[in-house]
Amino acid sequence: MTDNHLGAIQLCKKLPIAFQEQQGNITMALGDKDLIRFLIIDSSTREAEAFLNIFRESGYSTRAKQINSTDDLTEATSGQKHWDLLLMAEPPEPLTYSRIFDDINQKGIDLPGIILKNPDDETNELSLIQMGARAVIPLGQDEHLLTVALKEFEDLKVRRHHRRMSVALHESEKQRQLLLDDQVDPVVYINYGRIRFANTAFIKLLGLAKEESLDGKLFRDLIITKDQQEVEAFLSGIEESGQALAAIQCPLVAHNGSELPVSIVISPTSFNGEFTLSLQIRRCEEEGEQDSVDKTLEKSAPDTETGLFDRKLFDQALVIAMQRAVEGKGKSTLCYLHLETLKATHEQHGIEVSQKLFKSVAKKITSQLDARHHVSSMGGANFAALLREGEKQDITALINSLLTAVTGEDIVIDQHQLPVKLSIGAVILSDTVSDVKVLTDQSRQATVLAQKQGGNQLCFYQKRKVSPNHSVEKQLVGMVSQAIKDKNISLSYQPVISLAGSPAEYYEVSFVLTDKEGKEHEATEFRPKLEKITLWNKLDRWQLIEASKALMAKRKEGSDTRLLLHVGGCSATDDTFIPWMKAALQTAGIPASAVAIELSEQNLARYSDVIPDFFSALKAMGCQTVISEFGCSLNPLDGIANLDIDLVKLDHSFTDGLSSGNTQELQKIIRDLSHSGRKVIVPGIESAEEMTPVWQFGADFIQGSYMQPPSKSMDFDFGVDG
C-alpha cells in the first residue's frame, strides 16, 4: 500500500473528530435543489443546452438526454431510468409529435410532454394537445416555459407519491386485516351505516359461520328493533361531527335470535382509504367491562384543570379532520395561538408564575370554546386549536369573541397583575390537505404575521405568490446592492480534502450576505440568477481582494494553502478581469499558482465562444482552472473535452441519495472523468456513509459539512497522524 493511500485512510479515520471540533462554526446550507431529468427532442444541441440553463439558473440540478432518432427514443423509454419532463422543439426526421406520443402512451409511461413551437409553425395547437402534449409554448418565452414545466413537474411528483402511497396503503390494509382477524375483541368498521369490515371475533360473537361475510350489510339490522333508529342516529351524528371518541350500550341480535348486551366504543378511523367508524364491541356481562369503557373514555377527555387535550389525541383528531375535509364531509380550521406575554412574565416573575399564567390562559381559551373544538398545548408559549368551523366569517367571529374574553383584562396571579396578549394564525383545511406538518407550519406562519401586525389579532394563512423571474431578479439585485452598501457581506471558507495525499491545502471561497431583516443567505442560493450581470463582476473582484488578504496571512504560517474562487460568467467575458486579477495578486504578494478560478458548467454553454480563451489566459498566468456544478449538461464530458481544466467539481445532486445506496451515476461520472485525466472533487459529503463509496470510486477530493461546514476562517487541520 502506498503512502498516499495510507494517508487517505488515516484522514478518513480522523474526520469525525475534526467534524466534532468544528461544531461551533457557521453552517450555511445550500438551498434544497430538486433534480429534474429531461428528455429533449431538438435537432440543435445548443438550443437543448439553453433549455437546461433556464432551469439551472432557477436553482434546479438537471440530467438530460437528447433524442435524435427513433432508436434513441426507444432506448430512453425502455430502460430503468425515470424521466421527469419531455421537451420537444423541431423533432428531427423521421420523428413526429404523433409518433413520439404514441410510443410513450403504448408503454404506459407517465412523462409530461411540452412542445416549444416555432412562431412560423402553423400546426394547430389543439391537435398537439389532443396528441398528448401538456402545453404548447412559443419558442423564446423562457418564463412561460419555466412556469409551465415546474407546474407539470410538481404535478408529476404528486402522482408518483399517490401511486407509492396507494401501494403502501394496500399492503398496510392487508396487514391490518390479518391483525384484526387475530384480535380477541370483536371489531367492526362502518361507513354511512354499512359494514365495511367485521373481524372473525365479531362473526363468532353473533354465532355465524366463520366463512360468512357481513360486508355491505346495514349495521342497524344487527341491533334489536326498538333501538335501531336511536343507535343509527347516534352513529350518524358521530360520523357527521367527526367526534374523537364515544361509547354506547345496546343489545345486538345473535344468529339464533337471542339478545347480546354489549358496550361499543366508537372512534373515527380510515379503512381502504375512506373515513370510517371503528366499533370495538364487548359483552356487558364481562366483569369490569364498564370500568374498562369508562377508562377508555377518560383517557380521551381533556385535562380537568386546563381543558387541554393530550397532544397525541389532538394530532389524531387533526388527522381525522383532514380526512373528512378531503372527502368533503365538512371543513375544519387549525389555529396556532402564541401567548406573547409569557416570556416576559417568566423573565420578571419566574417559572412558577409563568406556568400559572399559561394554565390560566388555557382554561380561558377552552372555556370560551365549546366541546366541539379541541385545544392542545404545543410547547413553549403556544397552543393549537382545531375548530369545527370552515368559513372565514364564522372563524373570525369566533376568534374575535375569544380574544375579547381572554385578553380583555389582566390576570392576577400571586398578587402580580399580568397582561395577556395573543397572536393567532389560522389555516382552513381543504380537500387538498395531506400533511399535518405542512398544516402546522402554515398556521405558524400566519401567527408570525399576526405578531408583526401588532398581536391580539387573527391572521389567515395566505399562500405566497410566485413572482415572475424578472421580479425575483430585481429583488435579489436590490438585496445584494443594499448588502454591499451596508457592508453586510462576509467571506466563508470550506476545506476541500485530498484523498490522494496532496500537500496543497485547498479552501473554496464563498460569501454570506445578511439582508436588512438579519437573515443570512449563502451566495450559492442566488448566484445562478445574478452572475450574468455586471453587479456580480463587482462581487467577484471584492471577493478576490478580501480572500487574498486572508490567504496571504495563512501562507505566512508556512502552509501551501490555495483558494478555489468562483467567478461569474460576466467576469469571464470581461476583457479587463484577468489583467486586473494579475495586478491584484502581485500587489498582495500571492503567486498565481495559489489561486484556482472556478466557473460553473452552465456558463460553458452560455459563453462557449469565450471560455476557452479565458481558461487559456488563466493557465498562462499560472492559475489552476476548475469547472463546478458539473454533470448537468447534455454531454458533460464533450463540453470540457477541449478545455485546459485541472479540477472538476461535481454538482451536489450526485451525492443526493448516496446513503441509501444510489451510487451508480456517481461511480460512472468519476470513472469517466478519471479516464480523461481530470481530478474530481465530490461536494456535499454529510456523513461517513456517503464518504466511503466516494473514496472507493476513486475521487481525488471531497468537500462537505461532514469534514467542516463553511467557516469564517481557514482553520481546518489538514494534518494526518502517523
Side-chain angles (χ1 to χ4, degrees):
M1 183 177 290
T2 67
D3 291 341
N4 283 348
H5 283 129
L6 180 61
I9 293 172
Q10 290 168 334
L11 175 60
C12 290
K13 290 179 179 178
K14 184 178 179 181
L15 286 176
I17 299 172
F19 176 61
Q20 292 169 10
E21 290 173 349
Q22 302 300 335
Q23 285 292 306
N25 291 338
I26 296 175
T27 301
M28 299 303 296
L30 291 173
D32 291 337
K33 286 184 179 180
D34 272 315
L35 170 64
I36 308 179
R37 297 182 183 274
F38 292 92
L39 280 184
I40 300 180
I41 301 179
D42 192 310
S43 54
S44 167
T45 299
R46 190 180 183 89
E47 284 297 322
E49 290 284 11
F51 294 149
L52 294 181
N53 264 1
I54 294 171
F55 295 88
R56 296 181 71 181
E57 286 174 9
S58 294
Y60 292 86
S61 296
T62 60
R63 301 286 187 276
K65 181 176 178 64
Q66 187 175 11
I67 303 298
N68 292 310
S69 67
T70 304
D71 289 342
D72 285 348
L73 181 62
T74 301
E75 180 187 357
T77 57
S78 299
Q80 296 297 316
K81 184 174 286 187
H82 289 284
W83 302 99
D84 302 314
L85 292 173
L86 171 65
L87 300 182
M88 293 173 282
E90 300 183 11
E93 294 183 355
L95 289 173
T96 63
Y97 294 130
S98 177
R99 188 169 184 175
I100 293 164
F101 285 123
D102 284 346
D103 184 77
I104 291 171
N105 292 334
Q106 285 174 12
K107 291 176 180 175
I109 300 171
D110 188 357
L111 180 60
I114 298 173
I115 293 176
L116 299 155
K117 186 181 174 186
N118 193 303
D120 299 331
D121 189 344
E122 297 181 357
T123 307
N124 182 271
E125 290 188 17
L126 178 59
S127 66
L128 296 174
I129 298 291
Q130 290 171 336
M131 285 180 200
R134 294 299 182 103
V136 180
I137 299 171
L139 269 171
Q141 295 191 9
D142 294 352
E143 290 180 21
H144 191 175
L145 170 60
L146 183 65
T147 302
V148 171
L150 294 183
K151 183 178 183 299
E152 289 295 338
F153 181 52
E154 291 303 317
D155 289 346
L156 176 67
K157 290 195 292 183
V158 169
R159 293 196 297 274
R160 286 173 175 171
H161 178 72
H162 175 75
R163 289 192 285 266
R164 287 194 298 269
M165 291 303 100
S166 294
V167 172
L169 176 64
H170 179 67
E171 290 301 314
S172 175
E173 293 293 357
K174 280 170 57 179
Q175 295 298 321
R176 182 160 68 160
Q177 288 195 31
L178 289 173
L179 291 172
L180 286 169
D181 277 332
D182 288 339
Q183 188 168 320
V184 175
D185 292 331
V187 176
V188 181
Y189 286 167
I190 67 169
N191 177 268
Y192 292 110
R194 293 191 178 275
I195 297 174
R196 300 303 178 194
F197 173 81
N199 72 345
T200 304
F202 184 71
I203 300 292
K204 183 179 178 181
L205 175 69
L206 297 181
L208 298 170
K210 185 177 180 181
E211 62 276 5
E212 189 161 345
S213 173
L214 296 174
D215 292 0
K217 295 185 178 180
L218 289 168
F219 183 73
R220 62 171 289 170
D221 293 343
L222 303 178
I223 302 169
I224 62 171
T225 305
K226 70 181 183 69
D227 289 346
Q228 283 183 356
Q229 189 171 352
E230 184 181 351
V231 172
E232 184 178 43
F234 182 73
L235 293 175
S236 178
I238 292 175
E239 193 168 342
E240 282 300 313
S241 68
Q243 184 177 334
L245 204 63
I248 191 172
Q249 289 186 340
C250 67
L252 300 179
V253 180
H255 181 60
N256 60 9
S258 62
E259 292 186 9
L260 300 170
V262 297
S263 293
I264 304 175
V265 177
I266 308 152
S267 58
T269 185
S270 64
F271 187 75
N272 285 334
E274 291 186 322
F275 176 80
T276 60
L277 295 181
S278 169
L279 312 183
Q280 291 182 304
I281 300 168
R282 294 169 186 167
R283 294 285 294 268
C284 281
E285 62 261 25
E286 292 178 9
E287 187 177 348
E289 174 55 34
Q290 188 56 47
D291 288 343
S292 176
V293 172
D294 291 343
K295 286 179 180 177
T296 300
L297 293 177
E298 184 181 336
K299 286 181 181 178
S300 69
D303 178 71
T304 54
E305 183 182 2
T306 62
L308 297 175
F309 278 84
D310 175 77
R311 175 71 182 274
K312 185 176 180 181
L313 291 172
F314 180 87
D315 288 344
Q316 290 174 357
L318 180 56
V319 170
I320 295 299
M322 286 169 49
Q323 193 169 43
R324 287 172 56 78
V326 169
E327 295 186 8
K329 289 191 172 183
K331 291 182 179 179
S332 300
T333 300
L334 176 64
C335 289
Y336 198 86
L337 302 89
H338 178 67
L339 179 53
E340 293 193 38
T341 46
L342 187 68
K343 182 179 179 181
T345 300
H346 176 77
E347 292 172 349
Q348 293 175 20
H349 306 294
I351 188 170
E352 186 176 346
V353 173
S354 65
Q355 285 180 343
K356 288 180 179 179
L357 174 64
F358 186 83
K359 289 180 179 180
S360 180
V361 171
K363 186 62 178 177
K364 279 196 169 190
I365 293 172
T366 55
S367 298
Q368 185 66 23
L369 300 173
D370 62 42
R372 294 184 307 125
H373 313 299
H374 291 179
V375 184
S376 177
S377 169
M378 299 296 283
N382 304 305
F383 303 94
L386 180 60
L387 308 181
R388 299 295 181 183
E389 300 284 356
E391 301 299 330
K392 270 193 174 183
Q393 185 175 351
D394 297 334
I395 297 162
T396 301
L398 181 63
I399 294 300
N400 285 343
S401 175
L402 183 146
L403 282 169
T404 300
V406 176
T407 67
E409 57 184 29
D410 294 348
I411 294 176
V412 178
I413 295 176
D414 295 346
Q415 299 181 345
H416 300 293
Q417 192 166 336
L418 306 174
V420 178
K421 190 176 184 180
L422 279 176
S423 292
I424 304 177
V427 56
I428 298 174
L429 279 60
S430 68
D431 58 3
T432 62
V433 300
S434 61
D435 192 301
V436 170
K437 185 179 183 302
V438 170
L439 276 175
T440 305
D441 288 344
Q442 290 175 346
S443 62
R444 280 198 188 107
Q445 289 176 33
T447 304
V448 171
L449 181 60
Q451 286 180 269
K452 288 181 177 179
Q453 294 182 3
N456 270 356
Q457 61 181 289
L458 166 70
C459 284
F460 285 90
Y461 170 74
Q462 294 182 338
K463 193 172 184 179
R464 294 175 182 172
K465 293 181 180 179
V466 179
S467 302
N469 276 359
H470 65 274
S471 297
V472 172
E473 289 183 13
K474 186 176 180 181
Q475 292 168 10
L476 288 174
V477 168
M479 181 181 74
V480 173
S481 300
Q482 189 65 43
I484 293 172
K485 181 180 178 182
D486 297 340
K487 297 182 179 180
N488 283 335
I489 301 180
S490 59
L491 291 180
S492 65
Y493 305 90
Q494 187 171 35
V496 179
I497 315 298
S498 171
L499 295 178
S502 170
E505 300 178 356
Y506 286 95
Y507 287 92
E508 184 176 42
V509 183
S510 187
F511 61 85
V512 178
L513 178 152
T514 305
D515 64 23
K516 59 184 180 182
E517 294 180 355
K519 184 178 179 181
E520 292 184 329
H521 305 270
E522 221 279 332
T524 49
E525 295 175 9
F526 49 84
R527 187 186 66 221
K529 279 199 173 294
L530 300 187
E531 63 177 347
K532 297 178 292 182
I533 63 177
T534 54
L535 172 67
W536 204 266
N537 186 293
K538 183 177 181 180
L539 283 169
D540 285 341
R541 298 186 183 217
W542 171 84
Q543 180 180 233
L544 189 143
I545 291 172
E546 295 301 314
S548 295
K549 297 175 185 176
L551 177 62
M552 192 61 198
K554 184 69 176 177
R555 288 177 68 87
K556 283 181 178 179
E557 298 174 5
S559 60
D560 183 11
T561 305
R562 304 184 186 187
L563 296 182
L564 275 67
L565 280 145
H566 195 293
V567 300
C570 190
S571 293
T573 60
D574 180 1
D575 293 338
T576 68
F577 181 76
I578 289 182
W580 171 87
M581 176 182 167
K582 185 175 182 179
L585 292 178
Q586 288 175 345
T587 301
I590 295 173
S593 59
V595 177
I597 296 298
E598 188 178 321
L599 201 69
S600 68
E601 183 188 53
Q602 56 191 314
N603 279 316
L604 292 184
R606 188 184 289 128
Y607 306 112
S608 58
D609 295 338
V610 300
I611 295 302
D613 291 339
F614 179 69
F615 276 161
S616 295
L618 287 171
K619 295 291 288 185
M621 193 170 77
C623 293
Q624 287 185 295
T625 53
V626 188
I627 290 294
S628 64
E629 299 168 23
F630 183 80
C632 293
S633 61
L634 274 173
N635 303 296
L637 269 75
D638 292 348
I640 62 171
N642 299 316
L643 294 177
D644 193 354
I645 297 170
D646 297 294
L647 298 165
V648 174
K649 180 182 173 183
L650 300 183
D651 188 76
H652 275 259
S653 57
F654 282 94
T655 50
D656 290 343
L658 269 187
S659 55
S660 59
N662 184 18
T663 61
Q664 291 183 351
E665 202 170 40
L666 176 64
Q667 184 176 14
K668 182 180 184 304
I669 198 164
I670 291 176
R671 183 183 66 237
D672 291 346
L673 284 167
S674 297
H675 287 168
S676 71
R678 319 286 186 175
K679 292 191 180 298
V680 183
I681 302 171
V682 180
I685 302 299
E686 308 297 328
S687 67
E689 290 78 15
E690 292 177 347
M691 182 174 64
T692 301
V694 172
W695 176 42
Q696 292 172 341
F697 296 158
D700 300 280
F701 296 88
I702 55 174
Q703 180 184 3
S705 293
Y706 180 64
M707 286 69 71
Q708 179 176 296
S711 170
K712 288 185 177 179
S713 58
M714 291 180 274
D715 56 3
F716 185 78
D717 182 7
F718 285 87
V720 179
D721 296 334

